[in-house]
């Protein structure tokens, strides 16, 4: 298939492009480079030996997107493009709603106009909210989120579901993944947060490479095995392979809209992840435990049963794999992707 990947120069998008190419698909990327750099595409081409057509387009630009769909032929879309910082979304909610929802509206309009009705959507475990029982299962239907970022994921899921009800020829996958970390084993592509990292592992990596003084661990008195929060960490290459499996499933079966969790099904604490990264680096890393951060849940993880049974997908990489691959990427690219 010829697949258009929106946000394909970003962290998860770039790894998914590699997996798509390895599976024999033709891939093109559209990206506005708000959270990414074109260098990532050159690195993908170095890894795969393939040429990846790149379109510098903001999805909210209806005319430009219409021209892209008018000039190129696509069989499916994988939709990553979005603003993604939880804290920033709390401070700038209108920007997040306008960008994440507006870009999806124009994308779906262009797809419908040009007869492309297969889409894999990059959703998030944040859609489950604070009231969902752990482990999270896809049949929990009171979706909610504590941040505008998460609410945009909830809203897009509802939009896509309504689109499928109105026109049952659509094939739609909603992939709710948990905490993607790691990097491609080549060390050529990885997570490159702009500014101060919002997530644990890239922050640890920047401490290890000397860009940050120390790691602050928010809370050491949670009701968990070591007092720190527990999360379901998953290697980004496992996440990427989940997108390929979902694309295959929705194109091979009956028209549908279906949600799948992409997670390991296990909780790993902040301290366990820190110690795994210390093993990868070969020495201890400076850290301190500080006050809890508002809004953090003590522990949550996925029930990945549905993905295993329906997609034949499950995680295959360990916490140590995640840290070794992250360190290979960060140590080889201490400032991230070059401009």
């Amino acid at each position: 298939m010829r697949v258009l990947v929106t946000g394909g120069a970003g962290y998860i998008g770039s790894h998914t492009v590699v997996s798509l190419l390895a599976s024999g698909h033709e891939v093109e990327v559209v990206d506005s480079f708000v959270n990414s750099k074109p260098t990532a595409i050159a690195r993908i081409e170095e890894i795969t030996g393939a040429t990846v057509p790149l379109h510098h387009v903001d999805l909210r630009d209806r005319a430009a997107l219409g021209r892209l769909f008018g000039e190129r032929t696509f069989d499916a879309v994988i939709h990553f493009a979005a603003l993604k910082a939880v804290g920033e979304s709390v401070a700038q909610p209108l920007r997040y709603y306008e960008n994440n929802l507006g870009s999806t509206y124009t994308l779906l309009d262009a797809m419908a106009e040009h007869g492309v009705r297969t889409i894999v959507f990059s959703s998030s475990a944040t859609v489950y909210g604070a009231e969902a029982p752990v482990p999270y299962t896809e049949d929990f239907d009171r979706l909610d989120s504590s941040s505008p970022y998460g609410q945009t994921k909830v809203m897009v899921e509802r939009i896509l579901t309504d689109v499928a009800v109105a026109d049952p020829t659509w094939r739609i996958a909603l992939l709710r993944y948990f905490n993607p970390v790691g990097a491609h084993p080549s060390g050529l592509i990885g997570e490159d947060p702009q500014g101060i990292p919002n997530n644990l592992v890239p922050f640890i990596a920047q401490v290890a490479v000397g860009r940050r003084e120390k790691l602050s661990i928010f809370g050491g008195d949670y009701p968990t095995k070591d007092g720190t929060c527990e999360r379901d960490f998953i290697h980004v290459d496992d996440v990427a392979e989940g997108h390929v499996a979902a694309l295959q499933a929705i194109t091979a079966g009956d028209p549908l809209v279906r949600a799948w969790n992409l997670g390991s099904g296990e909780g790993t604490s902040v301290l366990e992840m820190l110690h795994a990264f210390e093993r990868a680096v070969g020495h201890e890393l400076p850290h301190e435990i500080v006050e809890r951060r508002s809004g953090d849940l003590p522990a949550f993880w996925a029930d990945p049963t549905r993905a295993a049974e329906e997609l034949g997908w499950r995680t295959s990489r360990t916490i140590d794999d995640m840290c070794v691959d992250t360190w290979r990427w960060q140590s080889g690219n201490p400032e991230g992707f070059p401009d």
Side-chain angles (χ1 to χ4, degrees), residues 249-331:
I250 61 175
T251 53
D254 295 329
L256 52 79
V257 54
R258 188 73 163 157
W260 287 284
N261 285 337
L262 298 184
S264 71
E266 299 179 359
T268 298
S269 76
V270 173
L271 280 176
E272 286 175 327
M273 181 59 78
L274 172 64
H275 296 327
F277 210 98
E278 289 173 335
R279 291 193 294 272
V281 174
H283 58 79
E284 294 185 356
L285 297 172
H287 64 278
E288 65 176 349
I289 295 178
V290 298
E291 292 295 316
R292 292 186 182 189
R293 183 171 54 186
S294 177
D296 279 344
L297 300 176
F300 62 82
W301 55 90
D303 179 344
T305 303
R306 180 185 288 184
E309 293 178 348
E310 297 180 359
L311 304 181
W313 174 92
R314 53 182 52 82
T315 59
S316 63
R317 297 162 178 90
T318 67
I319 294 295
D320 284 297
D321 293 333
M322 300 173 203
C323 293
V324 167
D325 289 341
T326 300
W327 181 234
R328 185 183 298 112
W329 150 256
Q330 190 71 79
S331 59

Side-chain angles (χ1 to χ4, degrees), residues 207-219:
V207 170
V209 84
R211 288 176 61 181
R212 308 287 168 192
E213 178 183 0
K214 60 185 174 182
L215 171 69
S216 294
I217 298 173
F218 297 103

